[in-house]
Each structure stands twice: as structure tokens, then as C-alpha cells.
Amino acid sequence: MPSRARRRVSKKILEHELVPKHEVLSFEEAVEVLRRLGIPPNRLPAISVNDPIVQLLGAKPGDIIRIIRKSPTAGEAEYYRIVVAF
Amino acid sequence: MAYTIFTDDLNTLIDIASKVLPKKKFDEIKQKVIDNEKLTEKQKANIIRDAIIIYMRALAQPGEPVGTVAAQSIGEPGTQMTLRTFHYAGIVEFDVTLGLPRLIEIVDARREPSTPMMTIYLDEKHKYDEEKAKEIARRIQYTVLDAVVSEIEYFQGSNEFTIVLDPEQLEDKGVTVEKVIEALERGKLGEVVQTEDPYVITLIVSERLLPPEYYYDPGVYREIENKIRKVYLKGIKGIRRAVIQAEEKEVDGKKVKEYYIVTEGSNLAEVLRIRGVDHTRTTTNNIHEIAEVLGIEAARNAIIREIMNVLQQSGLDVDIRHIMLVADLMTFTGRVRQIGRLGIAGEKESPLARAVFEVTVKNLYDAAATGEFENLTGVSEKTIIGQPPPVGTGLVVWLKSRETEKPIEVAEKKKK
């Protein structure tokens, strides 16, 4: 049911306090991140393409997503997840 | 471990600090030290240098068994937890699972918590007004005809059912008689006839439901009565009860009561769609539901929050970093997985590591039957075969595997 109501809720969830900021990395950024971490992309934590936030961002499997978490210990922490298809 | 920084230059030190320290700590130092005019440049440099060194010393070293430390840090205080508590959590009239059963529930990633519960916050327009809050609570609570009916009368041998409504309950639930009639008509049970008394409705049940040959079968009558009682009036499916709670708050120096709704049962997706609900704070204690509606990162935050809540309510002080590790581990595949034999421990690659954890013999049989390969690289496997495990200093090895992955070169080739 991709009605208007559904879409409105979808946008709303980005404002929820439990949802940290997500952003899709460009190819260059992704290479930079993997170089810094020294791992191949398949070793990154995963996030499903069907994840509501990923659908909102319109990311495709293989994209890397940077998550800027609000951390109670570090203030702000970066985390990376790779979009997987399941 | 000893760290030294061989510089006295303030700007260099600030530069190092901004790169090394987490944002929160750096901001604190910036506020209290760098922007402090009472300190000399040398004092500032010394403070910042010490801060960096202390921070570096506090970091977990490579090879530190953080998982084991986390397990012990949660496990030891966990022994003090009450085994069985089914008491309310400071909320009137509510039974909420707490203590060890709830902790197990979270870590096992059950589909449904044993006491699903939502905390629904309201938006600016509604949260300071009890009446408006009640109005929303009524819209949310799942109400069937049974809640507003005082009596249903019928005689065997007749297809007339007399429904007597309870005016008090009607008002309490915010339902009008017209709405009830509408709902009954939508239920397609038969013809609805109003009587002289506004609170009495006659329902002539259709022949489809009550054929004349069953006129003397009490079972059929009871079935029809149940069907009438279950006619849907309003509300959201899954929300069995909604209760208003109030919290004293200070807004612009004035003391105000903020009203919010606590519910028994949970349906996050639907509740977020209700107008007047604060969609930024409303939550549920069902972690799978959060993962579905708000995504995996929100689920991770929810796991941390729920576990910390349980521990705090039991009066236990466990560092949040251990819980964060657990939550990260549970969500790193993009789905909420449990920690036990069916989740993280059961999905380990090494058959020996799985055998060490639970159901030893079955795991070994299965591994043998399917011809699994044992790399002998993990801590448990190394311990079994009597070699130094890859923990702490044992992590450092001289030989380099030929299969070393080279992500950077691969990525660069692709770019060309």
C-alpha cells in the first residue's frame, strides 16, 4: 500500500530520536573509508536494502552508509554499514 | 602502556587533541581549557598533553578480550537480579516484565515481548491538556462492542437480539450510539433496528448466520452473541489498553503537567500515523517492531536503552559500553539476532567453537556429516588443541597468511 499516508510516515521516522543520521557515501568516500579501516567491503557490518531508512535514502546493495551516532560516551561516533540484499 | 608526546607547542597539541580525542571530550577541553583566559599558554599545553596521554591509556588495547569482559561485567551483577518479578515499573495499573526475565527476553531477541508496551508522547498541541490526551487515548485503544454493552438478550426460537448499551461506558470510550449502529451494519450480521429507548438496539440476525433449522441450538446463539460482542468500533489493532500518565515538567520557568499515554500491547507503525502523536519520541518495548518501522540503527539504540533500563531498575551499575558492544553484535548483520545457540554463537564458522558452546555432540556429528572445515584460528579452538589463543599478546604472530585481503588495491583497480 504505497499510499500518501505511508510516505508521510516514512519521512517522519527520520526525526525519531532513536534514528541516527544516515548518509550514503560516494565512491571516492567509500574507497577512502575502506582504506582507512583496512578491510574489504564484505567485512563491514550490514544493513538491509529493506531497512526503512535505506529505502528513504534510495541506496542500492553495495553502497556504504555512514551513520553518525549520538554516543553517550564519545558524544558523536561514526559507524559504517554496507547495504546488502536480503 | 606508556605514551609520551614530545612537544610543548600549544597549537600542535590542540591539533593532536582534536584528532585523537572523541568530540565530546575535545569540546569539553576546548571550553574549559583552551578558552580559559586565566591559564597561561604553558599550563594549557600541559593540561592538554596530559589529557591526551590519559585518554590513550584508557583505550582498549588491540587484542583485549572486550567480549569476555562485557560478558563478565553483565553476568556478575546479573546474579543479583531477581529471578521473577512481575511488578509494575512505577506506572499505575500496569504489569511489566522486569529483572532477569526481561533481560533474557531482550538478549534472546524474542519476536514479541511477554508484556508489549508503548509509551506514546503527544505533540505540543495536545500534551498539556488532559482532555485532549484522553481523546487521543480513546482513538488509539482498540475497542469492540463488548466494551460498551451492558447486556445482550435473545430468545431461542427467534432471530431477534436485543443489545442494551451502557451510557457510562459509551461516554468513557467516546463512542456514540450512531457509531455503534454504523459498526453493526458494517459487521453484516443482519438488520439493525432502533427502538424507543436510545440505548437499546434490536438486531435481526440474517438467515445466513441463523437458519431457521438452528433455532433451538444454544451453541449457535452463543456463537452469534460472541460475534456481536467482537464487532470493531474504533482504535488500533494490538492496543489492548491505553492509560493517561502525567509528568511534572518545567517549561519556561513554569511548572506544567505533561500528559502521555502508556499502552498495553504495541503497534508502532499505526500509532505513529495518528495525528497528535509526537513521532519523535514515541516508542515501544518490542525491538523487532522498532527494527521494522525505524530501521536497524534505531533497534540498536532501543536494545541499549531497554537493557540499561532493566539494569538500572534492578539497581545495578553496568557501564554502558558493555551494553553497546552487545547491541552492536546483535545488529551487525542488519537484522536483530539473538545471542544464544540460534543466533551469534550458533552462526560461528568454526565447528569446534560451536561445539564448545552448546549441544556438543550434535554439532560435531553435523560438522562431520557435512564435511565442514576447521581453521583452528579462534580462541576456543586454539585452547582445545593446546596452542596460545589469539588474545592479548597471543594475537601477535610472525607469519603472514598468503590469503591476506587487499581491499585497497582492488578498489583502485576498479576506479581505473
Side-chain angles (χ1 to χ4, degrees):
Chain A
M1 184 195 65
S3 70
R4 187 146 33 90
R6 165 112 196 188
R7 228 179 299 139
R8 198 172 63 229
V9 170
S10 297
K11 264 199 188 143
K12 270 184 180 176
I13 62 175
L14 289 178
E15 295 163 21
H16 200 282
E17 61 176 6
L18 287 176
V19 180
K21 199 175 168 232
H22 293 57
E23 55 192 35
V24 185
L25 296 188
S26 67
F27 185 83
E28 286 73 25
E29 282 174 310
V31 171
E32 215 284 305
V33 164
L34 291 176
R35 189 196 301 259
R36 200 172 70 224
L37 299 175
I39 53 166
N42 62 350
R43 295 270 291 273
L44 282 173
I47 188 167
S48 163
V49 253
N50 297 317
D51 191 275
I53 310 286
V54 173
Q55 294 205 325
L56 271 183
L57 292 175
K60 292 178 288 300
D63 283 347
I64 292 175
I65 291 188
R66 174 192 283 136
I67 294 149
I68 299 157
R69 291 173 171 173
K70 276 188 217 99
S71 158
T73 48
E76 216 170 64
E78 277 179 15
Y79 198 71
Y80 298 91
R81 282 182 189 271
I82 183 159
V83 181
V84 292
F86 64 70
Chain B
M1 209 187 268
Y3 292 97
T4 342
I5 299 170
F6 298 104
T7 176
D8 286 323
D9 181 43
L10 182 60
N11 288 329
T12 324
L13 281 167
I14 292 174
D15 191 47
I16 297 172
S18 71
K19 278 178 193 150
V20 171
L21 299 183
K23 193 170 172 291
K24 197 174 162 189
K25 294 280 172 249
F26 181 71
D27 287 348
E28 200 181 328
I29 282 185
K30 189 168 170 15
Q31 189 207 334
K32 287 187 182 159
V33 181
I34 300 174
D35 298 341
N36 192 336
E37 281 158 18
K38 285 179 196 161
L39 296 173
T40 66
E41 200 141 297
K42 202 176 171 214
Q43 281 172 322
K44 282 184 193 177
N46 282 336
I47 293 172
I48 293 171
R49 183 172 346 98
D50 282 0
I52 296 170
I53 290 172
I54 289 168
Y55 175 76
M56 294 297 288
R57 241 183 247 156
L59 286 179
Q61 299 298 320
E64 197 165 309
V66 282
T68 311
V69 174
Q72 287 176 345
S73 305
I74 299 168
E76 194 279 328
T79 59
Q80 322 260 328
M81 283 174 101
T82 31
L83 286 175
R84 262 183 176 269
T85 35
F86 287 94
H87 295 294
Y88 58 85
I91 303 158
V92 207
E93 308 163 71
F94 267 108
D95 253 4
V96 179
T97 314
L98 278 178
L100 201 60
R102 176 67 187 143
L103 188 66
I104 293 170
E105 208 171 84
I106 300 166
V107 170
D108 274 354
R110 301 247 175 91
R111 276 266 143 215
E112 277 263 308
S114 59
T115 49
M117 201 188 100
M118 285 189 81
T119 313
I120 301 168
Y121 291 95
L122 307 172
D123 66 9
E124 286 296 325
K125 277 185 204 153
H126 297 80
K127 64 181 174 191
Y128 301 121
D129 190 330
E130 193 173 0
E131 273 313 306
K132 282 180 182 167
K134 261 191 190 155
E135 168 61 32
I136 290 177
R138 281 193 200 123
R139 245 188 289 156
I140 287 168
Q141 181 167 319
Y142 188 73
T143 315
V144 288
L145 195 61
D146 189 39
V148 295
V149 157
S150 70
E151 230 178 324
I152 294 181
E153 283 172 16
Y154 54 88
F155 297 101
Q156 285 186 20
S158 144
N159 59 354
E160 263 186 40
F161 281 70
T162 310
I163 301 164
V164 183
L165 300 172
D166 185 343
E168 261 175 50
Q169 287 296 325
L170 276 178
E171 210 201 311
D172 183 56
K173 300 286 186 300
V175 187
T176 56
V177 180
E178 286 77 52
K179 278 234 176 95
V180 174
I181 292 166
E182 223 172 82
L184 276 170
E185 274 165 358
R186 230 184 302 124
K188 289 196 177 123
L189 295 166
E191 203 182 323
V192 185
V193 182
Q194 263 178 294
T195 57
E196 284 166 21
D197 188 335
Y199 294 113
V200 177
I201 298 167
T202 312
L203 179 70
I204 300 164
V205 175
S206 66
E207 247 177 56
R208 186 173 50 85
L209 277 168
L210 184 65
E213 60 262 38
Y214 284 105
Y215 269 13
Y216 294 96
D217 186 341
V220 173
Y221 277 88
R222 233 173 289 129
E223 235 171 66
I224 291 171
E225 188 189 337
N226 278 338
K227 261 189 193 155
I228 294 172
R229 285 187 189 275
K230 275 187 195 144
V231 167
Y232 168 84
L233 285 180
K234 55 156 46 176
I236 292 169
K237 215 178 171 192
I239 309 287
R240 290 187 290 278
R241 216 148 59 91
V243 174
I244 308 273
Q245 301 284 321
E247 198 180 5
E248 291 258 326
K249 258 198 172 174
E250 235 174 83
V251 180
D252 305 328
K254 271 184 285 180
K255 269 200 179 164
V256 212
K257 265 191 179 176
E258 190 195 329
Y259 294 93
Y260 60 97
I261 302 166
V262 180
T263 68
E264 207 182 298
S266 166
N267 191 340
L268 186 64
E270 293 295 323
V271 168
L272 285 182
R273 258 178 233 174
I274 298 270
R275 229 192 285 155
V277 167
D278 182 355
H279 61 272
T280 62
R281 288 193 297 159
T282 297
T283 55
T284 163
N285 67 354
N286 185 341
I287 283 153
H288 281 278
E289 212 174 282
I290 291 183
E292 257 162 52
V293 180
L294 300 175
I296 193 70
E297 275 293 315
R300 183 196 95 106
N301 284 333
I303 292 171
I304 296 171
R305 197 145 96 173
E306 289 286 321
I307 296 183
M308 284 311 279
N309 247 340
V310 172
L311 293 173
Q312 264 161 21
Q313 255 146 16
S314 309
L316 305 176
D317 185 26
V318 178
D319 194 287
I320 195 167
R321 272 161 274 218
H322 300 310
I323 315 294
M324 280 155 75
L325 183 72
V326 169
D328 271 338
L329 202 64
M330 283 175 74
T331 55
F332 87 87
T333 54
R335 270 186 272 210
V336 180
R337 292 188 311 164
Q338 72 155 126
I339 287 197
R341 149 190 55 185
L342 305 167
I344 289 152
E347 278 167 30
K348 279 182 184 165
E349 215 172 294
S350 151
L352 278 184
R354 267 181 281 134
V356 165
F357 179 63
E358 264 174 17
V359 278
T360 312
V361 178
K362 188 181 174 287
N363 265 315
L364 291 178
Y365 274 157
D366 288 354
T370 51
E372 277 186 63
F373 193 77
E374 174 61 67
N375 272 318
L376 294 174
T377 45
V379 178
S380 325
E381 301 95 287
K382 288 271 189 182
T383 313
I384 291 171
I385 59 168
Q387 284 189 6
V391 176
T393 47
L395 195 69
V396 185
V397 284
W398 182 240
L399 292 172
K400 209 173 164 213
S401 163
R402 244 195 270 175
E403 292 157 0
T404 308
E405 292 145 316
K406 296 173 184 165
I408 298 145
E409 280 157 46
V410 173
E412 271 177 347
K413 259 179 213 161
K414 229 192 240 170
K415 209 174 158 188
K416 279 168 199 166

